[in-house]
Amino acid sequence: MRKIFFNKTIAITRGEKNNSNFIRIVKEQGGIPISLPTMKIIPLDSHKFIERFIDICTKKYAYYIFLSPNSVEIFVEMVRENNLTHLLEEQLKKCDVIAIGPSTRKKLEVNNISVKWFPSNYSSNGILKLIEKLSLKPGTRIMIPRSGASNSFLKDRLGSMGIIVDEFHIYLPQAETINQTWIAFLKELENNKVQVLIFTSPSAVRFFFSIMDNMLLNFIGHLRNVDALISIGPNTTKELISKNLSPVESAVHTIEGTIELAKRILSKN
């Protein structure tokens, strides 16, 4: 059976941690995976976290929404480290949990948090459609633990529906330090040996550009030579378009969905 990725370089804007499935699939197809760590995460100071979380626990939420595995991991870890597990358990007894997609759902379930809902379209737009289907009453309160660098799209749209959204900014992302992985990727890119590049989020796009600006002046010209420039969802697509790139958006907003799209694109070349 022909392996579409045979001897081809498949890069993704995600570090090796939590990226084992991508690496395995690419290698099984004979490809060369590159995991590009675009950002490092700086958690909220413990004192500020405790203060904010205790205030959160004075309110009654109907839903908690988690938008990424990172937000789950950091939130749960900080709750445990600061001996606040009992307060979180009390919160979650009184509300339903929504996960944006299967990876986020899996991370929640590993941490013994049951997920009641997740959208068929794994994106912020999918979350909005799900909320519309649930027909929430105006005044319904929702908590979203997330990055402090996130945009206000979801909060604004839900707010226009009369829903009260509290965002708990539990971490800030920063551009990752240039390492040997980035240097190896740059050499492959300059030699037009990167066949697929997958962007996983708007933040990953921004940090990718920040890092590449410090490595190569005309890197955008090289990106246009990549056979399959893929975005994982609509907001990532918008971010790439704002950088004067024209990605192909995966209809299925998962790593597996982007890999299947890459196979289809390469099979036509």
Side-chain angles (χ1 to χ4, degrees):
M1 183 176 177
R2 181 187 170 216
K3 293 185 176 181
I4 295 171
F5 290 161
F6 182 73
N7 209 27
K8 291 180 170 61
T9 297
I10 318 298
I12 188 170
T13 57
R14 175 185 281 185
E16 285 193 8
K17 184 183 178 183
N18 300 322
N19 205 30
S20 57
N21 201 35
F22 167 81
I23 293 169
R24 176 186 58 79
I25 295 171
V26 171
K27 285 184 175 178
E28 284 176 354
Q29 290 292 319
I32 304 161
I34 295 183
S35 298
L36 295 168
T38 56
M39 67 185 85
K40 48 190 171 186
I41 289 170
I42 312 299
L44 185 66
D45 171 81
S46 285
H47 177 74
K48 291 179 180 177
F49 182 90
I50 293 168
E51 188 178 72
R52 176 80 170 105
F53 188 69
I54 289 174
D55 178 62
I56 285 167
C57 290
T58 65
K59 301 179 176 68
K60 185 177 179 180
Y61 294 98
Y63 296 88
Y64 261 68
I65 298 177
F66 289 91
L67 300 174
S68 72
N70 274 339
S71 64
V72 176
E73 185 172 356
I74 293 165
F75 181 65
V76 171
E77 187 175 306
M78 294 196 75
V79 164
R80 287 174 180 160
E81 285 179 355
N82 292 292
N83 299 313
L84 299 169
T85 304
H86 62 292
L87 292 178
L88 178 61
E89 288 174 349
E90 286 300 313
Q91 282 267 295
L92 297 180
K93 282 179 185 176
K94 302 168 187 174
C95 66
D96 291 341
V97 174
I98 299 173
I100 196 169
S103 296
T104 304
R105 179 179 186 173
K106 183 178 179 181
K107 184 68 74 173
L108 285 161
E109 290 174 344
V110 163
N111 285 286
N112 299 313
I113 298 175
S114 298
V115 175
K116 182 70 178 288
W117 309 98
F118 73 98
S120 55
N121 182 332
Y122 311 141
S123 66
S124 295
N125 282 323
I127 293 283
L128 285 173
K129 289 179 181 178
L130 173 62
I131 296 297
E132 287 171 357
K133 286 182 181 178
L134 293 174
S135 301
L136 304 189
K137 295 178 181 178
T140 298
R141 190 179 288 271
I142 293 175
M143 164 53 58
I144 308 179
R146 65 186 313 190
S147 163
S150 302
N151 63 47
S152 63
F153 169 78
L154 192 56
K155 182 176 182 177
D156 292 346
R157 290 292 298 273
L158 291 174
S160 70
M161 295 160 60
I163 295 167
I164 301 168
V165 177
D166 291 338
E167 294 184 327
F168 187 6
H169 295 150
I170 55 175
Y171 68 92
L172 278 172
Q174 291 182 0
E176 187 55 88
T177 305
I178 295 170
N179 57 20
Q180 287 301 317
T181 301
W182 278 99
I183 293 168
F185 169 75
L186 180 63
K187 288 180 180 177
E188 294 290 285
L189 187 65
E190 285 185 298
N191 292 320
N192 295 326
K193 290 184 178 179
V194 177
Q195 281 75 38
V196 179
L197 177 54
I198 298 169
F199 288 93
T200 55
S201 71
S203 293
V205 174
R206 289 190 290 272
F207 288 122
F208 176 91
F209 272 72
S210 174
I211 292 167
M212 291 298 293
D213 274 334
N214 290 318
M215 296 180 69
L216 183 66
L217 286 176
N218 188 31
F219 70 90
I220 292 180
H222 290 287
L223 289 181
R224 293 192 176 112
N225 292 327
V226 175
D227 294 327
L229 199 66
I230 295 173
S231 68
I232 203 167
N235 289 331
T236 308
T237 300
K238 288 177 185 176
E239 193 68 34
L240 285 164
I241 290 172
S242 76
K243 306 290 187 184
N244 297 315
L245 289 173
S246 301
V248 181
E249 184 181 313
S250 173
V252 180
H253 303 147
T254 63
I255 299 302
E256 292 78 8
T258 60
I259 290 173
E260 287 304 312
L261 175 57
K263 287 180 184 178
R264 292 197 297 272
I265 293 171
L266 294 185
S267 67
K268 294 176 182 177
N269 293 341

